[in-house]
Amino acid sequence: MSPPPLRADAARNRERVLAVAQEAIDAGDASLALNEIARRAGVGVGTVYRHFPTRQALLEAVADEPLDRLLEQARLAEAQDDPLTGLARLVRAAVVVETGNAGVAEVLAAPYVADAATEAKKTELFAAAGRVLERARAGGAVRPDLDVGDIQRLVCGIGYAARLGDGDRDERADRYTEMLIAGMRP
Amino acid sequence: MSPPPLRADAARNRERVLAVAQEAIDAGDASLALNEIARRAGVGVGTVYRHFPTRQALLEAVADEPLDRLLEQARLAEAQDDPLTGLARLVRAAVVVETGNAGVAEVLAAPYVADAATEAKKTELFAAAGRVLERARAGGAVRPDLDVGDIQRLVCGIGYAARLGDGDRDERADRYTEMLIAGMRP
Amino acid sequence: MSPPPLRADAARNRERVLAVAQEAIDAGDASLALNEIARRAGVGVGTVYRHFPTRQALLEAVADEPLDRLLEQARLAEAQDDPLTGLARLVRAAVVVETGNAGVAEVLAAPYVADAATEAKKTELFAAAGRVLERARAGGAVRPDLDVGDIQRLVCGIGYAARLGDGDRDERADRYTEMLIAGMRP
Amino acid sequence: MSPPPLRADAARNRERVLAVAQEAIDAGDASLALNEIARRAGVGVGTVYRHFPTRQALLEAVADEPLDRLLEQARLAEAQDDPLTGLARLVRAAVVVETGNAGVAEVLAAPYVADAATEAKKTELFAAAGRVLERARAGGAVRPDLDVGDIQRLVCGIGYAARLGDGDRDERADRYTEMLIAGMRP
DNA sequence: CATGAATGAGTGTTCATTCAT
DNA sequence: CATGAATGAACACTCATTCAT
């Protein structure tokens, strides 16, 4: 089910490339030119292509670990007694992740994604979010016209908003999330 | 103060290019390849460059008329008796404009723009928004920690959210705006 | 019907590129790497692409003028009283052209060709060859099992044979053609 | 004088690679991308390189067995009473082999080959062909201006002709060979 | 010996921008 | 002013070959 473990040197190269890609994304360069990534990582282009055949694959690999963290939060959100608290927790976690990582933001905003494992994670995340939302809606804690697609879009939108401009993005992420949650009330 | 009026044929070319660029933006192609714009407009590339020296200039020219409409709305918002109603009106107008036009969205989200006239309009718009916001804040109608930069970012974020995915964007723009206004309450 | 005449400089560039391509082909390098052609011709890559979007287009352009000469020979062959003499004339002309120009050889050997004008010339050439062959066959001057496809293949094969190795290719082309014509007798 | 026998697994790998290469050549893919060959043969690229250091070496190895068959035919041709019949037999055998195997065709058309054993076989083949040709020429059965290089070139040319296009290549090989033999008469 | 990851030169192709006509 | 040919940097992608494991 899982791929064979990488050779030590291959794993090291893979990590280097991922790190450089993460840096590039953090620096706001979403173009991810594979030549440039290779140069900065100190590996040949071919090596980048071997590990990540497309820009999309690289992007999704960068998003993989944050997605896992987000899934963990989704599980905690589901375990929460109060549905609105759970929803708030999930939304906050998603916005925080997106604010700190434009790569995840792109993956979460995309309608579909190339890598099957990533797609599965997205599906699972949305499913969990759907369940949390449904509980909140059933208890009358949020507007009845909200669906899970709205949550996805609003989270992406708030993350986008928090990333705009200089200043303290995390502080903004918190405030905007608070406002979003408040705005969801019926 | 204003540039000399264009020759008739020059003006016609300018309009053609603008129309084609607007179409391209509406179609979601924000790349604005100037060669392609020129081809579709039936003019030479050089002509496009003469009128719009940079991609930014073209983008801002396309945003010019929607910006004017938005400024008009800002004036109406200022004239409103109830400050929160005024703010809501302005936010709604901005989100609607952005939702229908990714070009304006980019111009509004940018920290600064190339064209002086466009910059002036943005400044005026933000000033008006600032006044409306200040009135609302003074009356305790909105959270005291909101500043005009937050409004700018949130409007852009909500517009971004409404544009994500298929379906009825305008309907989403309305609902999301409603939620945003509600979330602004203290 | 004909394309607009090229600007003087454009025509000069086109000719340079063609000349360099012809040289490369003559030197036995059929790869026609467009970057390399551009470098040798002293023009930008983009210029080569503008004139010849594909390697195939360049190849066919190089073959254009020899094809015209061949068509002229085909007309003379048709005008010949004796059908076998006509056929011999045509075959000889084709082999000579192919021997001196591997580009034409490739175009003539290909099942179909990208450029419509080139395709038309090939079609016309084969039609003329077909008529000459038919007359010869009807007169019992050649084997009845020969069709125009055989002529095409054999001419290409003999051209290929004459180009193999060093030495006097034209001398070989003549002798081999003579043998081919002799071998066609019933 | 001969290399040490291969280990059983090495021999098996060698055969697999050869088989795959033969398939690729038969399928008309003369590019012989060694990575691809390795993948199809289920071995690592390194293994292919160990056995066949260059593309040429692989090609010649593939040609080895057909060359042996051809040599056998050359011996039979020399044993033939009638020199022209012998020559015809040899030519026919060579064309048949070439028509069915573009790899041998390339080896036979090349001015020299990398592997010493292959070179020796080619030399022996040409020597035998030379003796057969000489007898025929001495008897006045063929044109006096034919030398063994011509035979090599013409055989390759006829093989090339027979391979051009779809249809029954073997049938064409027969007819073209017949014509070639006829054309060789003084 | 076998493996396959790594390399990087080479090639194809696009496109923003300039400038001769 | 308008045109569009020319430019060349930038990027995508491939593949023959080497070498650490």
Side-chain angles (χ1 to χ4, degrees):
Chain A
M1 185 165 172
S2 47
L6 288 175
R7 251 168 46 182
D9 56 341
R12 194 174 52 247
N13 279 335
R14 191 175 191 279
E15 287 314 314
R16 271 196 210 163
V17 170
L18 273 180
V20 167
Q22 177 74 66
E23 272 172 40
I25 289 173
D26 288 351
D29 176 12
S31 69
L32 287 189
L34 296 195
N35 270 323
E36 181 61 14
I37 298 280
R39 201 187 54 73
R40 286 198 224 163
V43 303
V45 232
T47 303
V48 176
Y49 273 86
R50 168 175 291 271
H51 290 295
F52 311 104
T54 65
R55 174 195 174 278
Q56 192 62 24
L58 179 51
L59 185 68
E60 294 175 22
V62 165
D64 191 62
E65 196 260 347
L67 266 185
D68 281 339
R69 279 187 281 126
L70 204 44
L71 268 173
E72 179 58 25
Q73 292 296 316
R75 286 188 203 101
L76 293 176
E78 280 202 84
Q80 203 86 29
D81 274 346
D82 178 43
L84 188 59
T85 307
L87 184 59
R89 169 168 213 150
L90 181 48
V91 166
R92 190 177 315 270
V95 172
V96 164
V97 164
E98 289 204 4
T99 302
N101 188 319
V104 195
E106 184 170 337
V107 166
L108 285 178
Y112 23 68
V113 117
D115 180 62
T118 306
E119 186 64 46
K121 286 178 185 176
K122 276 187 66 177
T123 303
E124 196 180 333
L125 182 63
F126 290 158
R131 288 188 295 267
V132 175
L133 175 66
E134 188 46 47
R135 272 212 296 151
R137 203 163 44 188
V142 301
R143 298 168 55 123
D145 58 2
L146 276 178
D147 70 17
V148 70
D150 292 319
I151 302 292
Q152 177 190 12
R153 281 184 284 264
L154 286 165
V155 162
C156 290
I158 292 301
Y160 176 83
R163 284 196 308 277
L164 278 181
D166 310 321
D168 189 342
R169 296 178 170 193
D170 288 335
E171 182 266 341
R172 286 201 295 258
D174 276 347
R175 269 193 303 129
Y176 296 172
T177 304
E178 224 173 70
M179 293 171 61
L180 174 59
I181 299 290
M184 285 181 179
R185 305 299 312 253
Chain B
M1 186 162 171
S2 46
L6 290 173
R7 257 169 43 184
D9 56 342
R12 194 171 54 244
N13 279 339
R14 190 174 191 282
E15 287 314 314
R16 273 195 207 162
V17 170
L18 271 181
V20 168
Q22 177 72 63
E23 271 172 39
I25 290 174
D26 289 352
D29 178 12
S31 67
L32 281 191
L34 294 198
N35 274 313
E36 182 60 17
I37 299 280
R39 201 187 54 73
R40 288 197 223 163
V43 303
V45 234
T47 305
V48 176
Y49 271 85
R50 165 169 303 274
H51 290 295
F52 311 102
T54 66
R55 175 190 172 284
Q56 260 302 318
L58 178 53
L59 189 67
E60 294 173 22
V62 166
D64 192 62
E65 194 262 346
L67 266 186
D68 282 340
R69 277 187 282 127
L70 203 45
L71 267 173
E72 178 59 23
Q73 291 295 317
R75 285 187 205 104
L76 293 177
E78 280 201 85
Q80 202 88 29
D81 274 345
D82 179 43
L84 188 59
T85 307
L87 184 60
R89 168 167 216 152
L90 181 48
V91 167
R92 192 178 313 270
V95 172
V96 164
V97 164
E98 288 204 5
T99 303
N101 187 321
V104 193
E106 187 172 334
V107 167
L108 286 179
Y112 22 69
V113 299
D115 181 63
T118 306
E119 186 63 46
K121 285 179 185 176
K122 275 187 67 177
T123 303
E124 193 179 338
L125 181 63
F126 289 158
R131 288 188 297 268
V132 174
L133 174 66
E134 189 48 46
R135 271 211 297 150
R137 203 162 45 188
V142 300
R143 298 167 57 124
D145 58 3
L146 276 178
D147 69 17
V148 69
D150 292 320
I151 302 292
Q152 176 191 13
R153 281 185 284 264
L154 286 165
V155 162
C156 290
I158 292 300
Y160 176 83
R163 285 197 305 277
L164 278 181
D166 311 321
D168 188 340
R169 296 176 169 196
D170 288 336
E171 182 268 341
R172 286 200 295 257
D174 277 347
R175 268 193 304 130
Y176 296 172
T177 304
E178 220 173 72
M179 293 170 61
L180 174 60
I181 300 290
M184 285 181 178
R185 306 301 309 255
Chain C
M1 185 163 171
S2 47
L6 288 176
R7 250 166 49 180
D9 56 342
R12 192 173 55 245
N13 279 335
R14 190 175 191 281
E15 287 315 314
R16 271 195 210 163
V17 170
L18 273 180
V20 167
Q22 179 72 65
E23 272 172 38
I25 290 173
D26 288 353
D29 176 12
S31 68
L32 286 190
L34 296 196
N35 271 316
E36 182 60 17
I37 298 281
R39 201 186 55 73
R40 286 197 225 163
V43 302
V45 232
T47 304
V48 176
Y49 271 86
R50 167 176 294 272
H51 289 295
F52 311 104
T54 65
R55 172 192 176 281
Q56 192 61 24
L58 179 53
L59 185 68
E60 293 173 22
V62 166
D64 190 62
E65 194 261 348
L67 266 186
D68 281 341
R69 277 188 281 125
L70 203 45
L71 267 173
E72 179 58 25
Q73 291 297 315
R75 285 188 204 102
L76 293 176
E78 279 202 85
Q80 203 86 30
D81 274 346
D82 179 42
L84 188 58
T85 308
L87 183 59
R89 168 169 216 153
L90 181 48
V91 166
R92 190 179 315 270
V95 172
V96 164
V97 164
E98 289 205 4
T99 301
N101 187 319
V104 195
E106 186 172 336
V107 167
L108 285 179
Y112 23 66
V113 119
D115 181 63
T118 307
E119 186 64 47
K121 285 179 186 177
K122 274 188 66 177
T123 303
E124 194 179 335
L125 182 62
F126 289 157
R131 289 188 296 268
V132 175
L133 175 65
E134 187 47 46
R135 271 211 297 152
R137 203 163 46 188
V142 299
R143 297 168 57 123
D145 58 4
L146 275 179
D147 68 18
V148 71
D150 291 320
I151 302 291
Q152 176 191 12
R153 280 183 285 265
L154 286 164
V155 162
C156 290
I158 292 300
Y160 176 84
R163 283 196 308 275
L164 278 181
D166 311 321
D168 188 340
R169 296 177 169 195
D170 287 337
E171 181 268 342
R172 286 201 294 258
D174 276 349
R175 269 194 302 130
Y176 296 172
T177 303
E178 221 173 73
M179 292 171 61
L180 174 59
I181 300 290
M184 285 180 179
R185 306 298 313 251
Chain D
M1 185 168 170
S2 46
L6 289 174
R7 260 171 37 183
D9 56 341
R12 195 172 52 244
N13 279 338
R14 189 175 192 281
E15 286 314 312
R16 274 196 206 160
V17 170
L18 272 180
V20 168
Q22 177 71 63
E23 272 173 39
I25 290 173
D26 288 352
D29 178 12
S31 68
L32 281 191
L34 294 199
N35 273 313
E36 182 59 16
I37 299 279
R39 202 186 53 74
R40 287 198 223 164
V43 303
V45 233
T47 304
V48 175
Y49 272 86
R50 168 168 302 273
H51 290 295
F52 310 103
T54 65
R55 176 190 172 284
Q56 259 304 315
L58 178 53
L59 188 68
E60 292 172 22
V62 166
D64 191 63
E65 195 263 347
L67 266 186
D68 281 340
R69 278 187 281 129
L70 203 45
L71 267 173
E72 178 59 25
Q73 291 297 316
R75 288 189 202 100
L76 292 176
E78 281 203 84
Q80 202 85 31
D81 274 347
D82 178 43
L84 188 57
T85 307
L87 183 59
R89 167 166 217 152
L90 181 48
V91 167
R92 190 178 314 271
V95 172
V96 164
V97 164
E98 288 205 5
T99 302
N101 187 319
V104 194
E106 186 172 335
V107 167
L108 286 178
Y112 22 68
V113 300
D115 181 64
T118 306
E119 186 64 46
K121 285 178 184 175
K122 276 188 66 178
T123 304
E124 195 180 335
L125 181 63
F126 290 156
R131 289 188 295 268
V132 175
L133 175 66
E134 187 48 44
R135 272 212 297 150
R137 202 163 44 189
V142 300
R143 299 166 56 123
D145 58 4
L146 275 178
D147 69 17
V148 70
D150 292 321
I151 301 292
Q152 175 191 14
R153 280 185 283 266
L154 285 164
V155 163
C156 289
I158 292 300
Y160 176 84
R163 283 197 308 276
L164 278 181
D166 311 320
D168 189 341
R169 297 177 167 195
D170 287 336
E171 182 268 342
R172 287 201 293 258
D174 277 347
R175 268 193 302 132
Y176 297 172
T177 303
E178 222 173 71
M179 293 171 60
L180 174 59
I181 300 291
M184 285 180 178
R185 307 299 312 256

